[in-house]
Amino acid sequence: MMRPCTPALSTRSSSSAKRADSPRLVVFFEPNGLRHGEFRLRPDSGWGETVTGLSWNCESDLLAVTLRCSSTLAPGDDGPPETRSKVQLWHRSNYHWYLKQELRYESTVASMVTFDEERPRDVTVALKFQDSAKLELREYTFVWDASVVSHGGTAAAVDGDSLNFTPFHQAMVPPPMYFATVPMAAPIAGIVSVPPFLTARSTGMALSWVATLSDGTLALLGQDGDKPRRGSSFVAPTLLASVSLDCARTLRQFLVANISSVGDGTTAVRMIGISCGNGPSDASEDIVEIEILLDGSEPIVNVVGRISVEGRILRIGNWVDADGALIETTDGCLLEYESAMEGLQGSVVPSSAEPFLEPCPWVQGLFGSGHERRIIIGRSSRSRLYLGERILSDASSSFAISQAHQFLGYATLGSRSQLRFIPLSALAKYDPLMGSEENVDILGEGYEPRSCERGSRLLAILPETPTAVLQLPRGNLEGVYPRALVLPFVMGLIKKGEFGRALEIMRKQKIDLNLVCDMNPVKFLQDGGVLNFISQVRKIDYLNLFISSLFDGDITQW
């Protein structure tokens, strides 16, 4: 990366970016001077904006645009206009430029923005205050998530002040296309999905998403309980409420830790966030608890507590199957946040799970309901996948925990990229004090891996179908049906007597149809299974195919 040679010109190894005048465009040039691609900036209404700087990161996948803004005075208004500075981070995927982050500084001038020469997600911003000669440096480290996928398989992608939704079970359209979009009042700074077991506790509404905006507003999205639902089809969430909090701009990584009903149709939403420290010398940070009361009228928001945590916090996240939250510090230690009753302060306690060998910015965990122990999976910035101190993969691009299918799925990197699966029951039985041979027998390589394109990332494992959604390096989406998901899913359908749906999947995925009978021959042949099968499979061609596939043998013993 080369330093900017003018305030509005930045160069990288293969192209240059320059600001064009009226309209505001960022234009890219090839080394030979030919124009090659551009994107339009998005100014705020009522503000005049001037681009003062452009800067690439070391991997040339993030472009920082620095703007100086002043409010437009209406006719007859006296006094100086309001001023502020903005730093926007733009990212390109599938030939589209997304506005992923916007940092706002009121009455302050952002005089310089630079990326770290080795760490592509570290940004340093130099601020000059107008009312004093003081100069302040602020350092930011971003954990880059291309999209946020809910537990039901709906992806949310941030693009400036637009929140784009794509339900994978209904329309697997690749970005920059989307199924539905929800406009916001300001650029989106973060988005979190509410676990479904918490959504079910809402009274009169179904809270499913919470977005934090760059102006400090919290936007709560979901479905109004009074509106009819259209069966199983996806309905785009609507804005249920917006709340402003004075300390919201100094907090990061919001999430919903608990939802409860307090009577009279009022829903209490308990959220937590991390209070940013004053500098690298701070040895502790605070977990700030926020409670929002929703009763159909104006929402009420209160800060109900601050919990001090020893060490700097790297990541917080929801449990897949329980209330509260999982907290990871920068040294890899794990803590647990336990929510309290309405109006009371929660607590942070050490986790019973083993710490990671190195910090893992991407982490998911099962609290342990139905398992012998906590199952916490983390992926480090060096692409190592950890179960506590155990390395599951030394080169992994992404992972996902599926509680519905009871599997951990992850995509590997390297010359032979694969999609691999390990049962959650095997992870629960893993004991670091056991011998290496016993642990290898428990974990091993998991089920039969499936080859995938090099650099693919696992976005989601859909709960209602045996489908894994991959995003290819260029941005397109691909839905695959790995054997590790299909076989247990089909066996579950056969046990429940859903022969029609099971046969349809087995035909498409080329699974031996003998499995329908061999799962439980006595029940299928003598206890009404054949009649149930015929009543569900109405096509004569499917019945002929099933009969022609039968042979004298038990495929469950293979």
Side-chain angles (χ1 to χ4, degrees), residues 525-538:
L525 297 175
Q526 300 180 8
D527 296 343
V530 174
L531 296 178
N532 190 16
F533 179 85
I534 295 175
S535 64
Q536 295 183 36
V537 182
R538 307 296 298 178

Side-chain angles (χ1 to χ4, degrees), residues 124-321:
T124 301
V125 180
L127 301 178
K128 183 179 180 182
F129 295 89
Q130 296 180 352
D131 54 353
S132 67
K134 183 174 67 172
L135 185 67
E136 181 178 304
L137 293 179
R138 296 187 182 180
E139 296 181 351
Y140 300 88
T141 299
F142 295 96
V143 177
W144 196 256
D145 293 326
S147 63
V148 179
V149 183
S150 68
H151 295 267
T154 299
V158 174
D159 188 10
D161 58 0
S162 298
L163 188 57
N164 303 329
F165 291 97
T166 300
F168 289 144
H169 66 278
Q170 186 172 344
M172 198 177 299
V173 293
M177 296 184 290
Y178 49 83
F179 187 84
T181 184
V182 178
M184 296 291 171
I188 301 165
I191 178 72
V192 294
S193 170
V194 180
F197 57 85
L198 292 180
T199 300
R201 302 176 187 174
S202 305
T203 303
M205 63 185 69
L207 178 63
S208 54
W209 301 87
V210 176
T212 58
L213 308 185
S214 59
D215 61 357
T217 302
L218 298 178
L220 282 66
L221 298 94
Q223 299 295 332
D224 192 339
D226 298 331
K227 294 183 179 180
R229 296 173 181 259
R230 298 179 294 179
S232 60
S233 62
F234 174 77
V235 179
T238 58
L239 183 63
L240 300 177
S242 294
V243 296
S244 297
L245 199 62
D246 295 336
C247 62
R249 291 191 182 184
T250 62
L251 301 179
R252 68 181 193 273
Q253 297 190 41
F254 285 94
L255 62 81
V256 178
N258 196 6
I259 296 179
S260 60
S261 178
V262 296
D264 299 331
T266 301
T267 299
V269 180
R270 176 68 63 92
M271 298 184 62
I272 61 174
I274 306 172
S275 177
C276 298
N278 295 323
S281 60
D282 286 357
S284 63
E285 288 185 320
D286 293 340
I287 295 290
V288 179
E289 297 178 285
I290 303 170
E291 192 168 73
I292 304 174
L293 299 179
L294 303 173
D295 58 359
S297 59
E298 190 70 19
I300 302 174
V301 57
N302 296 303
V303 176
V304 296
R306 281 179 173 266
I307 308 173
S308 180
V309 176
E310 291 297 327
R312 305 300 294 271
I313 299 175
L314 176 64
R315 197 70 189 262
I316 60 175
N318 286 104
W319 294 105
V320 176
D321 58 343

Side-chain angles (χ1 to χ4, degrees), residues 147-155 168 172 364 398-402 405 409 419 421 457-463 465-471 478-480 485:
S147 63
V148 179
V149 183
S150 68
H151 295 267
T154 299
F168 289 144
M172 198 177 299
Q364 289 187 25
S398 53
F399 72 96
I401 294 178
S402 173
H405 297 280
L419 186 60
F421 295 89
R457 296 185 302 108
L458 177 62
L459 294 185
I461 300 176
L462 304 189
T465 59
T467 308
V469 182
L470 298 172
Q471 185 172 32
E478 180 180 358
V480 298
L485 298 180

Side-chain angles (χ1 to χ4, degrees), residues 318-359:
N318 286 104
W319 294 105
V320 176
D321 58 343
D323 298 345
L326 174 65
I327 304 172
E328 182 191 1
T329 59
T330 53
D331 58 359
C333 292
L334 299 174
L335 307 171
E336 297 177 8
Y337 167 79
E338 298 177 352
S339 181
M341 300 295 291
E342 178 196 0
L344 300 178
Q345 180 173 304
S347 60
V348 173
V349 297
S351 176
S352 60
E354 300 85 5
F356 296 125
L357 290 180
E358 60 179 313

